[in-house]
Amino acid sequence: MVMMDDPFDLLRPTTVTVRVSAKVNLALGVGSRAPDGFHPLATIFEAISIYDEVTLTRRDDSRITLTVSGEDADQVPTDETNLAWQAVDLIRNECAAEWGDRRHGVDIHVDKSIPVAGGMAGGSADAAGALVAAAALCRLPDSPEELQPLAARLGSDVPFCLTGGVALGRGRGDRLAPVICRGRHRWVFATSTRGLSTPAVYRRFDELGGSRAGEIVPNDLISALTRGDIDAVADSLSNDLQAAAIDLRPELEEVLTVGRQAGALTGLVSGSGPTCAFLVPDAASAKIVSAALSRLSQVDRTRIARGPAAGAQLLPGPVGS
Ligand code: C5P
């Protein structure tokens, strides 16, 4: 519905859909908890080919609504605690002039494939998608560079979800530098029947003695990625949060063992877990690893994916939208 009291409304789309990728941390070096409660990181993110789609449709009134479809839709909050909602609200407040005088609202719809509370940045990806979609709705520049400062205010992983690819993240994970990655990776992911809360995993990390090596930039991994040496990449994968995630969910140990025994080059907990990620050499072993993991009672689903994938991308809308 076009609002005729604002001539610029004629130039604005009314519905926009953005596709956003999940991520896996190839390395996650965690330093000691800082006074602000966050832990300094040196992490390598890789975007992978499991996608959510975020659609924003303008409303005539000022309300924001949120609906969710897809896997685990019932576990996703549909109120202002959802990061996609917060992203729309942030653009509306920070860019009021572009948004339009009537402060129109939007219907947000998230079609989910990324596991919920799985350590794969599902909520952050939706926030990144909503930022790009909201920027497109009001014709703001939607390049990752322009939206980066707003993304960092929403959550530590949101800036990476905008850019995708492979990147080194420092600070809270929000200060990004691209990493050259030759070749593509095949992954198998095993999601858990129960999610894990990121703050709870960081808390357990502190309780278990906190940082050992700290937020060291993983130069061996960066070099392996740049050379395209998959065996060296597998040897260099690491996650300082893994012990804390396994302490909270001891059954993950068996998941990692079974995936490795079935032929994965290596396996590790993805981010704060409980999803486990397995790097595999080829399509045949992806199927074998996936089948072995599916037989475990603590595994909810398995997913085969490729990386690196792109960041948040506007999808072409229907003509006239
Ligand atoms: O930034 P985000 O909302 O994803 O962080 C969720 C929680 O995870 C934070 O409130 C904090 O407890 C923890 N965290 C942390 N250090 C980071 C990132 C997150 O302690 N670098």
Side-chain angles (χ1 to χ4, degrees), residues 4 18 45 117 156 160 162 175 182 190-191 214 242 282 319:
M4 295 303 293
V18 174
F45 293 107
S156 311
F160 175 73
L162 285 177
R175 285 183 6 231
R182 292 211 164 78
T191 66
Q242 180 160 309
D282 49 41
V319 176

Side-chain angles (χ1 to χ4, degrees), residues 203-227:
R203 247 192 329 272
R204 186 52 62 95
F205 171 82
D206 293 335
E207 288 160 8
L208 291 175
S211 171
R212 283 174 197 83
E215 69 278 28
I216 310 281
V217 173
N219 287 319
D220 287 354
L221 172 61
I222 292 172
S223 158
L225 289 164
T226 304
R227 295 195 314 274

Side-chain angles (χ1 to χ4, degrees), residues 12-23:
R12 294 177 177 139
T14 53
T15 297
V16 170
T17 298
V18 174
R19 191 177 80 159
V20 269
S21 326
K23 62 88 184 161

Side-chain angles (χ1 to χ4, degrees), residues 28 30 33-34 36-41 83 124 152-158 171-174 197-200 202-203 206:
L28 182 49
V30 182
R33 187 173 176 275
D36 64 4
F38 282 80
H39 297 72
L41 304 180
L83 280 182
S124 303
R153 283 165 60 181
L154 291 163
S156 311
D157 292 339
V158 184
R172 294 179 178 185
D174 56 330
S197 122
T198 303
Y202 275 103
R203 247 192 329 272
D206 293 335

Side-chain angles (χ1 to χ4, degrees), residues 222-313:
I222 292 172
S223 158
L225 289 164
T226 304
R227 295 195 314 274
D229 181 341
I230 189 75
D231 292 316
V233 169
D235 286 346
S236 316
L237 298 188
S238 66
N239 180 359
D240 284 357
L241 292 181
Q242 180 160 309
I246 291 177
D247 196 65
L248 290 167
R249 291 288 159 74
E251 65 272 19
L252 296 180
E253 194 82 76
E254 187 188 13
V255 179
L256 293 174
T257 305
V258 166
R260 290 185 192 122
Q261 284 173 350
L265 297 170
T266 191
L268 82 173
V269 170
S270 175
S272 56
T275 301
C276 292
F278 299 89
L279 189 60
V280 293
D282 49 41
S285 71
K287 280 191 185 147
I288 294 167
V289 169
S290 170
L293 293 166
S294 316
R295 287 195 280 274
L296 294 173
S297 62
Q298 64 269 47
V299 169
D300 183 28
R301 286 188 202 103
T302 61
R303 309 284 297 269
I304 295 175
R306 303 290 298 265
Q313 289 192 312

Side-chain angles (χ1 to χ4, degrees), residues 45-255:
F45 293 107
E46 177 171 324
I48 52 111
S49 63
I50 298 176
Y51 303 105
D52 283 359
E53 285 188 8
V54 182
T55 300
L56 262 51
T57 305
R58 299 174 65 191
R59 290 177 60 91
D60 283 343
D61 61 21
S62 62
R63 288 180 58 217
I64 296 176
T65 72
L66 177 58
T67 51
V68 184
S69 59
E71 286 171 18
D72 303 327
D74 55 326
Q75 294 175 39
V76 179
T78 53
D79 58 13
E80 65 282 357
T81 62
N82 188 303
L83 280 182
W85 181 305
Q86 291 173 22
V88 170
D89 219 24
L90 190 61
I91 293 253
R92 188 160 78 159
N93 290 329
E94 294 294 315
C95 312
E98 292 84 356
W99 189 262
D101 286 343
R102 293 182 48 161
R103 289 185 51 81
H104 57 82
V106 290
D107 295 322
I108 306 168
H109 182 74
V110 180
D111 189 20
K112 283 214 77 68
S113 293
I114 305 175
V116 177
M120 298 185 75
S124 303
D126 298 345
L131 270 184
V132 171
L137 272 191
C138 60
R139 301 208 155 242
L140 281 167
D142 61 5
S143 64
E145 296 75 28
E146 303 278 351
L147 296 176
Q148 234 28 294
L150 295 179
R153 283 165 60 181
L154 291 163
S156 311
D157 292 339
V158 184
F160 175 73
C161 292
L162 285 177
T163 58
V166 180
L168 169 68
R170 308 218 58 195
R172 294 179 178 185
D174 56 330
R175 285 183 6 231
L176 297 170
V179 169
I180 294 168
C181 175
R182 292 211 164 78
R184 299 196 71 202
H185 304 145
R186 282 178 201 276
W187 294 96
V188 178
F189 294 92
T191 66
S192 255
T193 39
R194 284 183 303 150
L196 260 178
S197 122
T198 303
V201 176
Y202 275 103
R203 247 192 329 272
R204 186 52 62 95
F205 171 82
D206 293 335
E207 288 160 8
L208 291 175
S211 171
R212 283 174 197 83
E215 69 278 28
I216 310 281
V217 173
N219 287 319
D220 287 354
L221 172 61
I222 292 172
S223 158
L225 289 164
T226 304
R227 295 195 314 274
D229 181 341
I230 189 75
D231 292 316
V233 169
D235 286 346
S236 316
L237 298 188
S238 66
N239 180 359
D240 284 357
L241 292 181
Q242 180 160 309
I246 291 177
D247 196 65
L248 290 167
R249 291 288 159 74
E251 65 272 19
L252 296 180
E253 194 82 76
E254 187 188 13
V255 179

